[in-house]
């Protein structure tokens, strides 16, 4: 019996007993009913939150593979299947792990043994993080080198073989031409800081969250976010010890140094950040629960109809994974991820269905990719661009779907990442077709952070123009203030909690409107003779030139 039929069997049982809650406030037919069907299956407890490398994640992948087959897509995965199999490694730290801070004179009388989760959290775990000999610490500001801003935290310090200590975030700015004013840039990303530290020869990195950036900062919430297994690509280059340090105890890192942690905060506020060696050393002996496993992306193709353009490809993507089973909240431990991102997957399936139904005939070929491991560090999309089923120089764009409008029908749209490429022109075309305006990206979306925090950044990093399209805050029935309140409520009370489930109140008219806009945008891309290009000042343009060089 097909897993699809098994799934529907269990779904039917769940419906009988009221375990799956369907929002029926709108009695739409066609697209709405299909969207609901996929959402109610993917968001059900049957898939146990679709955790990467779990049985629920595997069942979700099987279901999606069979949906691709039902839709008539051509498989682009391994061995003629829709599955692109990905070897992964999982680890979870045990309480027996030992992190020791001591003075640079190695006097054991001045050592501090730190408690996992209370004083620090591991961003990277596993055998490669073993640091038996105490290594010197060096404070390196924000851990940033940004030549375009004439900024270099590493200029005056030697970090080779040492552990760098950096602040979360980046320099203060009110100038749009300097670190994009109040909005975070790609340099604020923790992974970018870690990669730079590795490139400078550092043996580890400690990141201190900056309370002054977020008055609602909660270490307890951080602990919840890191209560899940750490997962990495099995072939990833050897990582380094990576630690998130509780700012409440940050003074321990600065004992006897030229500046205290309070002094460093003052340096931040006065925009006079300085890098300097610390008077402390650190050792780490980790104990981990570890495993190796295989997960899969689900990849299918609709071939273009134009003989000249069909050998160029648009990747339409969404991540189907979520957090799986975790700490219980109000007796519920299944993190269903309905808004993040079962609804985005349901939208992708609807778009694929429309394009392959014969009514819409794209000139270029379209790859539909459902990624795993997004919640673990964009692993599925990173694997895809490392092992693309078609050459990257033939891939003209990525349209990523991570969330769909659910609050109210809307009058404006925003393009996260549109400022980097001529995808902005296609966005304008799509907006005009739908009688919408393009609005400025609201601060609550944190444009640069949104762009670097989901799968589209994996494509941008290898030179493929990419975009994430959201609704604006101009609604038909809600005021802008009410819309903002809805976003804040979701972020504070539902995002990455078990409450992001099928009980969430969804405006399906808004969701279908968003799906149509995405469909129109993709069709405009697919039928255009002109491929999108990066703007000259884009930080990703050089990678595009490298991928094009592969053609030669």
């Amino acid at each position: 019996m097909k897993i699809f039929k098994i799934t529907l069997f269990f779904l039917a049982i769940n419906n009988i007993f009221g375990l799956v809650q369907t929002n029926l406030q709108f009695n739409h037919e066609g697209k709405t009913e299909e969207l609901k069907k996929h959402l109610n299956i993917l968001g059900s407890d049957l898939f146990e939150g679709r955790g990467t490398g779990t049985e629920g994640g595997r069942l979700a992948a099987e279901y999606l593979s069979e949906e691709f087959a039902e839709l008539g897509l051509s498989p682009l995965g391994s061995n003629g299947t829709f599955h692109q199999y990905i070897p992964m490694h999982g680890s979870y730290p045990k309480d027996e792990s030992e992190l020791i801070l001591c003075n640079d004179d190695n006097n054991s009388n001045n050592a501090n043994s730190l408690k996992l989760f209370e004083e620090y959290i591991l961003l990277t775990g596993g055998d490669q993080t073993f640091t038996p000999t105490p290594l010197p610490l060096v404070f390196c500001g924000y851990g940033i080198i940004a030549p375009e801003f004439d900024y270099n935290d590493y200029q005056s310090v030697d970090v080779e073989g040492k552990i760098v200590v950096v602040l979360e975030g980046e320099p203060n700015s009110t100038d749009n031409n300097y670190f994009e004013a109040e909005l975070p840039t790609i340099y604020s990303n923790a992974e970018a800081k870690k990669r730079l530290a590795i490139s400078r020869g550092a043996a580890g990195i400690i990141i201190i969250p900056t309370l002054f950036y977020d008055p609602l900062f909660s270490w307890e919430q951080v602990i919840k976010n890191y209560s899940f297994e750490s997962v990495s690509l099995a072939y990833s280059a050897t990582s380094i010890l990576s630690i998130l340090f509780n700012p409440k105890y940050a003074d321990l890192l600065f004992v006897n140094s030229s500046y205290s942690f309070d002094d460093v905060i003052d340096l931040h506020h006065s925009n006079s950040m300085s890098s300097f060696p610390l008077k402390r050393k650190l050792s780490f002996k980790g104990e981990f629960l570890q495993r190796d496993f295989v997960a899969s992306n689900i990849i299918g193709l609709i071939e273009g109809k134009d003989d000249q353009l069909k050998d160029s490809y648009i990747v339409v993507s969404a991540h189907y994974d979520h957090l799986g089973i975790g700490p219980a909240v109000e007796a519920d431990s299944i993190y269903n991820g309905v808004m993040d991102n079962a609804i985005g997957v349901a939208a992708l399936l609807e778009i694929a269905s429309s394009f392959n139904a014969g009514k819409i005939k794209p000139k270029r070929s379209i790859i539909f990719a459902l990624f795993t491991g997004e919640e673990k560090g964009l692993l599925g999309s990173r694997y895809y661009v490392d092992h693309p089923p078609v050459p990257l120089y033939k891939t003209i764009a990525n349209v990523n779907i991570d969330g769909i409008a659910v609050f109210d029908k809307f009058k404006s749209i925003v393009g996260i990442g549109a400022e980097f490429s001529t995808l902005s022109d296609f966005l304008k075309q799509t907006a005009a077709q739908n009688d919408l305006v393009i609005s400025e990206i609201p601060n609550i979306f944190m444009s640069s952070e949104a762009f670097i925090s989901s799968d589209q950044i994996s494509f941008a990093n290898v030179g493929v123009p990419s975009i994430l399209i959201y609704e604006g805050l101009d609604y038909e029935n809600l005021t802008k203030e009410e819309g903002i309140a809805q976003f804040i409520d979701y972020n504070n009370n539902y995002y990455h909690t078990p409450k992001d489930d099928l009980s969430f109140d969804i405006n399906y008219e808004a969701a279908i409107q968003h799906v149509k806009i995405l469909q129109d945008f993709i069709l405009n891309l697919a039928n255009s003779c002109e491929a999108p290009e990066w703007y000259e000042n884009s930080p990703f343009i050089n990678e595009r030139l490298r991928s094009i060089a592969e053609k030669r």
Side-chain angles (χ1 to χ4, degrees), residues 191 195 231 233 321 372-382 453 455 458:
E191 185 64 25
R195 288 178 183 173
V231 178
L233 297 172
D321 68 297
T372 187
E374 192 267 358
E375 302 288 2
K376 301 299 185 181
L378 317 183
L379 301 184
S381 57
R382 284 168 52 194
S453 299
D455 288 314
S458 296

Side-chain angles (χ1 to χ4, degrees), residues 265-314:
I265 299 303
D266 290 339
L267 292 174
H268 165 77
H269 286 304
S270 62
N271 263 350
S272 54
M273 189 56 67
S274 177
S275 299
F276 52 90
L278 299 171
K279 299 295 185 180
R280 308 226 75 186
K281 291 184 177 181
L282 179 145
S283 64
F284 177 72
K285 180 182 178 182
E287 297 289 340
F288 299 95
L289 294 171
Q290 301 188 78
R291 67 183 181 119
D292 295 302
F293 62 92
V294 174
S296 59
N297 293 330
I298 307 300
I299 310 173
L301 169 73
I302 293 176
E303 187 176 49
K305 307 303 181 184
D306 186 275
D307 290 339
Q308 301 298 317
L309 296 176
K310 69 179 182 180
D311 197 32
S312 61
Y313 300 81
I314 299 162

Side-chain angles (χ1 to χ4, degrees), residues 98-346:
E98 294 182 355
L99 182 70
I100 306 294
L101 269 177
C102 61
N103 289 346
D104 56 4
D105 58 8
N106 293 328
N107 186 340
S108 60
N109 292 328
N110 297 314
N112 301 99
S113 179
L114 304 183
K115 295 179 181 178
L116 180 65
F117 292 116
E118 179 179 339
E119 291 163 303
Y120 73 97
I121 286 170
L122 289 173
L123 296 176
T124 302
D127 294 336
Q128 76 277 9
T129 60
F130 183 53
T131 310
T133 303
L135 297 177
L137 303 183
V138 181
F139 179 70
C140 296
Y142 306 98
I144 291 173
I145 297 178
E148 68 271 36
F149 304 131
D150 192 26
Y151 188 91
N152 187 343
D153 281 316
Y154 286 90
Q155 187 170 1
S156 62
V157 289
D158 174 21
V159 303
E160 188 167 357
K162 303 173 185 178
I163 295 174
V164 300
V165 178
V166 303
L167 292 182
E168 181 186 53
E170 56 195 16
N172 276 325
S173 174
T174 57
D175 182 354
N176 288 329
N177 295 317
Y178 186 70
F179 287 97
E180 293 192 20
E182 290 87 359
L183 294 176
T185 71
I186 193 170
Y187 294 111
S188 67
N189 181 258
E191 185 64 25
K193 294 175 188 281
K194 185 172 78 170
R195 288 178 183 173
L196 181 57
I198 291 174
S199 73
R200 305 294 292 191
I205 184 170
I206 298 174
I207 300 175
I208 307 173
T210 42
L211 296 175
F212 39 82
Y213 273 149
D214 185 358
L216 299 178
F217 174 86
S218 164
W219 185 253
E220 289 70 27
Q221 185 58 48
V222 172
I223 292 173
K224 290 179 183 178
N225 292 342
Y226 287 92
S227 296
F228 300 86
E229 178 186 42
S230 173
V231 178
S232 61
L233 297 172
Y235 66 86
S236 295
T238 300
S239 189
I240 59 174
L241 177 65
S242 303
I243 291 171
L244 193 67
F245 208 87
N246 188 342
K248 179 179 177 181
Y249 301 99
D251 276 336
L252 293 173
L253 300 170
F254 294 84
V255 170
N256 296 328
S257 297
S258 304
Y259 299 89
S260 68
F261 183 57
D262 286 341
D263 293 333
V264 167
I265 299 303
D266 290 339
L267 292 174
H268 165 77
H269 286 304
S270 62
N271 263 350
S272 54
M273 189 56 67
S274 177
S275 299
F276 52 90
L278 299 171
K279 299 295 185 180
R280 308 226 75 186
K281 291 184 177 181
L282 179 145
S283 64
F284 177 72
K285 180 182 178 182
E287 297 289 340
F288 299 95
L289 294 171
Q290 301 188 78
R291 67 183 181 119
D292 295 302
F293 62 92
V294 174
S296 59
N297 293 330
I298 307 300
I299 310 173
L301 169 73
I302 293 176
E303 187 176 49
K305 307 303 181 184
D306 186 275
D307 290 339
Q308 301 298 317
L309 296 176
K310 69 179 182 180
D311 197 32
S312 61
Y313 300 81
I314 299 162
V315 177
V316 179
S317 60
H319 74 91
Y320 72 87
D321 68 297
H322 196 55
L323 299 176
I325 297 176
V329 178
E330 297 179 7
D332 186 358
S333 60
I334 298 179
Y335 290 64
N336 302 80
V338 167
M339 297 297 103
D340 182 23
N341 181 38
I343 197 167
V345 174

Side-chain angles (χ1 to χ4, degrees), residues 242-515:
S242 303
I243 291 171
L244 193 67
F245 208 87
N246 188 342
K248 179 179 177 181
Y249 301 99
D251 276 336
L252 293 173
L253 300 170
F254 294 84
V255 170
N256 296 328
S257 297
S258 304
Y259 299 89
S260 68
F261 183 57
D262 286 341
D263 293 333
V264 167
I265 299 303
D266 290 339
L267 292 174
H268 165 77
H269 286 304
S270 62
N271 263 350
S272 54
M273 189 56 67
S274 177
S275 299
F276 52 90
L278 299 171
K279 299 295 185 180
R280 308 226 75 186
K281 291 184 177 181
L282 179 145
S283 64
F284 177 72
K285 180 182 178 182
E287 297 289 340
F288 299 95
L289 294 171
Q290 301 188 78
R291 67 183 181 119
D292 295 302
F293 62 92
V294 174
S296 59
N297 293 330
I298 307 300
I299 310 173
L301 169 73
I302 293 176
E303 187 176 49
K305 307 303 181 184
D306 186 275
D307 290 339
Q308 301 298 317
L309 296 176
K310 69 179 182 180
D311 197 32
S312 61
Y313 300 81
I314 299 162
V315 177
V316 179
S317 60
H319 74 91
Y320 72 87
D321 68 297
H322 196 55
L323 299 176
I325 297 176
V329 178
E330 297 179 7
D332 186 358
S333 60
I334 298 179
Y335 290 64
N336 302 80
V338 167
M339 297 297 103
D340 182 23
N341 181 38
I343 197 167
V345 174
L348 182 145
L349 291 172
E350 270 307 290
I351 294 167
S353 175
S354 296
F355 275 98
N356 218 32
K359 298 177 182 178
I360 303 174
K361 297 183 178 180
K363 293 181 179 180
R364 299 183 192 272
S365 297
I366 302 175
I367 295 172
F368 290 93
L370 295 170
F371 295 132
T372 187
E374 192 267 358
E375 302 288 2
K376 301 299 185 181
L378 317 183
L379 301 184
S381 57
R382 284 168 52 194
Y383 188 89
Y384 178 98
V385 298
D386 286 346
H387 305 83
V390 300
L392 291 175
Y393 70 82
K394 294 183 178 182
T395 305
I396 68 159
N398 166 240
V399 180
N400 191 38
I401 307 171
D402 195 357
I404 290 292
V406 295
F407 301 138
D408 190 19
K409 293 187 71 175
F410 48 91
K411 304 174 184 178
S412 64
I413 54 175
V414 297
I416 308 294
E419 67 273 23
F420 296 122
S421 75
T422 57
L423 285 173
S424 58
D425 296 334
F426 293 93
L427 191 67
K428 292 174 185 175
Q429 178 186 0
T430 305
Q433 290 170 339
N434 289 274
D435 295 323
L436 301 172
V437 297
I438 297 175
S439 63
E440 297 238 345
I441 299 171
N443 284 346
I444 59 169
F445 287 174
M446 300 182 72
S447 171
S448 297
E449 184 170 312
F451 189 66
I452 64 179
S453 299
S454 192
D455 288 314
Q456 65 277 345
I457 190 62
S458 296
F459 288 87
N461 281 335
V462 294
V464 177
S466 54
I467 194 170
L468 183 66
I469 300 173
Y470 285 143
E471 83 271 28
L473 294 174
D474 304 291
Y475 294 105
E476 288 194 2
N477 302 296
L478 299 174
T479 66
K480 186 171 293 188
E481 290 72 24
E482 288 170 335
I484 291 173
Q486 295 258 34
F487 273 104
I488 292 174
D489 179 56
Y490 171 77
N491 188 65
N492 291 343
N493 299 310
Y494 296 88
Y495 176 69
H496 281 192
T497 77
K499 293 183 179 181
D500 183 5
D501 62 14
L502 290 168
S503 66
F504 195 89
D505 189 23
I506 296 172
N507 183 321
Y508 279 100
E509 289 185 336
I512 293 302
Q513 180 189 12
H514 197 162
V515 171

